[in-house]
């Protein structure tokens, strides 16, 4: 594993880096050498937790494979702990916003663990079904554009 990518470094004016350095307090539930997990101040639903890399990385596009493996491998364990903390939690949405348009407001990458209680709780997510507007040729054109970026 490339230790360079995992070595903590902090960015100026980053609220989550300030949480990492202890300059801003947090309700930490877990930390190790790679990640810190703490309660999201908004508590979208009770137990809403953020998991952040201990090194400043802006968004998913900036991860290398080693950092991604290290960070994302911690998610199931933390998710299980959040779920086990309250028997009323029956599911969980795990999301990661990248870019302002995708609702990212803190530009230090983080993964939201949002416990779900009922379909009437305070979390909503809408996937519009646009499949009626797509021909097989439309799908194939999109498929080829993405595949081309992954080749070579
Ligand atoms: P996002 O909109 O995906 O960038 O999520 C950023 C999240 O950070 C929001 O859900 C905020 O409630 C949360 N947040 C901002 N400041 C703090 C803080 N000091 N401690 C805990 N959570 C925070
Ligand atoms: Zn940061």
């Amino acid at each position: 594993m490339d230790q360079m990518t995992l070595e903590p470094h902090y960015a100026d004016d980053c609220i989550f880096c300030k949480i990492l350095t202890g300059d801003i307090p947090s309700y930490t539930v877990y930390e190790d050498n790679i990640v810190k997990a703490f309660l999201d101040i908004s508590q979208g639903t009770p137990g809403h937790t953020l998991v952040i890399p201990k090194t400043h990385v802006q968004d998913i596009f900036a991860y290398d494979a080693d950092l991604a493996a290290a960070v994302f491998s911690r998610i199931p364990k933390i998710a299980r702990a959040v779920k086990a903390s309250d028997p009323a939690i029956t599911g969980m949405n795990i999301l990661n916003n990248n870019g302002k348009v995708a609702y990212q407001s803190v530009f230090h990458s983080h993964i939201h663990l949002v416990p779900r209680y009922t379909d009437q709780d305070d979390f909503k997510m809408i996937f519009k079904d646009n499949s009626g507007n797509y021909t097989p040729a439309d799908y194939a054109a999109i498929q080829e554009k993405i595949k081309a970026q992954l080749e070579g």
Side-chain angles (χ1 to χ4, degrees), residues 93-114:
N93 288 97
I94 297 183
L95 30 139
N96 163 238
N97 300 331
N98 298 281
K100 198 172 167 202
V101 71
Y103 309 126
Q104 185 175 10
S105 63
V106 176
F107 293 89
H108 179 133
S109 177
H110 48 279
I111 296 110
H112 292 265
L113 310 185
V114 186

